[in-house]
Amino acid sequence: DLFHEVEDYFAKMDKKQSLAGKKVIVSAAGTREPIDPVRYISNRSSGKMGYAIAEEAAQRGADVVLVSGITNLPAPENVKVIKVESARDMQSNIEQYFPDSDITIMAAAVSDYRVKEVAEQKIKKSDEVMTIELVKNPDILKGLGEKKTDKQFLVGFAAETQNVLEYAQGKLQRKNLDMIVANDVSQAQAGFNVDTNIAKIITRDGQIKQAPLMKKTELAQLIFDIIEEKMNIKA
Amino acid sequence: DLFHEVEDYFAKMDKKQSLAGKKVIVSAAGTREPIDPVRYISNRSSGKMGYAIAEEAAQRGADVVLVSGITNLPAPENVKVIKVESARDMQSNIEQYFPDSDITIMAAAVSDYRVKEVAEQKIKKSDEVMTIELVKNPDILKGLGEKKTDKQFLVGFAAETQNVLEYAQGKLQRKNLDMIVANDVSQAQAGFNVDTNIAKIITRDGQIKQAPLMKKTELAQLIFDIIEEKMNIKA
């Protein structure tokens, strides 16, 4: 309603420019790996979480590049959006901006595998069974973790359906992250294409923050509050 | 602009109710076949062609059921929309309405194959290569062609990247269709997620109508003009 719109408007106006001068990269949405010109493999990521993060960063005054997979979401205000399709497209675009970035948040659901041999023409098959051979895609997040300097803050996501905390802690270590945001996508209110999330935010120092059910826009705020605290950013 | 909006409004008001009393089923958009709770196989159909057909049928006064795969398109006015995910979901919904239908237009891009064993949990893979085994989905259109009576009019689509006409003529025969709409999706203006199409409309009697580049909404009109002529429907 109008009351809340006006309230939101002033909340945005009031927002501290705590990230002014900072360069932020956000990846969002799912990538798509072609099988042939018509068919592809993808995943259920809607992009809502990553878009909310990019928007929040821009509202805090950061210089934001959003490298986005497949979604129909509108571009957030004051954000440079680069649309990509496959994991390798996403990688080359992120790596171009990474050396100069202060904060990189990988919220995209990147395809782990791509099709080994992409057909140039639509595949005509009459066989009762068919096999698709896949090969591993580059691990973008791990690559960034290996390259990052002490001044760069790197955040990953873990969308799991079981053993969420354990898996997320392992991923943070393995990929040299500063923070990981973990959520159980088998829960209806924390899943794909909904506006809410229930997340655990784990930082390099071992802190675990269990966030209650909240809007993805609110979780984006919480993520940056914790990043700013860990990076000792004072508004 | 406003002039064209007013013009469109009166064009719609004026439209003859040539399909009043007719039951029309339209399928649209791509289906999605799960690999696990997160990943899936799909195709690039946007649903624009099927949604335009459903809207045109409703404007001509038909009683329209639109069985829709994955798309963010808004429901057309005065159309009953049933949202489905997989090819088998689509089949069961269409077959429920088919016995009473007068005209059935299958514009959906139905997945030919589904994953043989869908994983209940998100697949964790560290292997360099991976294989997905697929099994054939039911051929919905062929099944309708086998069941249809002489009073029912059945229309298929052929979205190809090569040998379009030849393939479409074979499909019309093989699946016992009354009409097939063929387009070469490798052409930019006839491809996925665009508002235009360049189609060939082939009817059971061997007639081939080459439609020029036109909006998908205009092609929807042309399709019903030909259907009405072939069914001897007089407004």
Side-chain angles (χ1 to χ4, degrees), chain A residues 8-197:
Chain A
D8 281 358
Y9 177 78
F10 283 104
K12 280 178 193 173
M13 293 290 291
D14 277 354
K15 208 161 266 188
K16 53 188 165 53
Q17 296 292 294
S18 47
L19 295 177
K22 299 284 183 207
K23 290 187 198 303
V24 174
I25 304 171
V26 181
S27 75
T31 56
R32 200 179 258 185
E33 300 294 338
I35 298 171
D36 67 19
V38 176
R39 303 171 179 97
Y40 60 81
I41 296 176
S42 190
N43 64 67
R44 292 174 196 276
S45 173
S46 65
K48 284 181 178 171
M49 191 66 240
Y51 274 61
I53 290 169
E55 188 168 24
E56 179 65 23
Q59 284 174 10
R60 292 186 185 209
D63 185 0
V64 185
V65 175
L66 172 59
V67 182
S68 172
I70 312 300
T71 174
N72 286 318
L73 293 174
E77 259 179 69
N78 300 317
V79 167
K80 175 174 178 160
V81 180
I82 300 170
K83 288 272 198 164
V84 298
E85 177 148 319
S86 71
R88 289 185 294 176
D89 291 345
M90 181 165 274
Q91 180 184 38
S92 62
N93 278 283
I94 290 172
E95 290 188 347
Q96 188 188 325
Y97 289 94
F98 186 70
D100 288 332
S101 80
D102 298 292
I103 302 166
T104 300
I105 304 181
M106 291 284 290
V110 182
S111 309
D112 299 324
Y113 292 86
R114 67 176 177 276
V115 177
K116 190 176 175 187
E117 283 171 48
V118 179
E120 273 179 50
Q121 301 293 344
K122 185 177 169 187
I123 300 168
K124 289 252 155 276
K125 283 279 179 180
S126 49
D127 300 345
E128 281 305 306
V129 294
M130 181 179 158
T131 302
I132 303 180
E133 282 188 74
L134 305 176
V135 294
K136 225 171 180 193
N137 267 327
D139 186 333
I140 305 175
L141 187 57
K142 196 173 181 201
L144 300 180
E146 285 163 3
K147 282 184 202 115
K148 89 183 174 74
T149 65
D150 288 348
K151 287 183 182 164
Q152 289 180 303
F153 198 90
L154 181 60
V155 183
F157 271 73
E160 298 301 321
T161 57
Q162 57 185 354
N163 305 327
V164 178
L165 182 61
E166 191 189 331
Y167 177 75
Q169 286 169 322
K171 184 169 175 177
L172 181 140
Q173 294 293 330
R174 219 163 49 241
K175 303 201 178 176
N176 192 31
L177 310 180
D178 298 290
M179 179 193 273
I180 191 160
V181 183
N183 61 313
D184 181 345
V185 290
S186 68
Q187 294 179 76
Q189 291 162 317
F192 298 109
N193 210 24
V194 295
D195 291 322
T196 56
N197 209 336

Side-chain angles (χ1 to χ4, degrees), chain B residues 30-43:
Chain B
T31 57
R32 201 181 255 184
E33 299 295 337
I35 298 171
D36 66 19
V38 176
R39 302 173 180 96
Y40 60 81
I41 296 175
S42 191
N43 63 67

Side-chain angles (χ1 to χ4, degrees), chain B residues 18 55 89 92 97 113-114 121 124 130 133 150 159 180:
Chain B
S18 46
E55 189 169 23
D89 291 345
S92 62
Y97 289 94
Y113 292 86
R114 67 176 178 275
Q121 301 293 343
K124 290 251 154 278
M130 182 178 157
E133 282 187 73
D150 288 347
I180 192 161

Side-chain angles (χ1 to χ4, degrees), chain B residues 72 93 147:
Chain B
N72 287 317
N93 278 284
K147 283 184 201 112

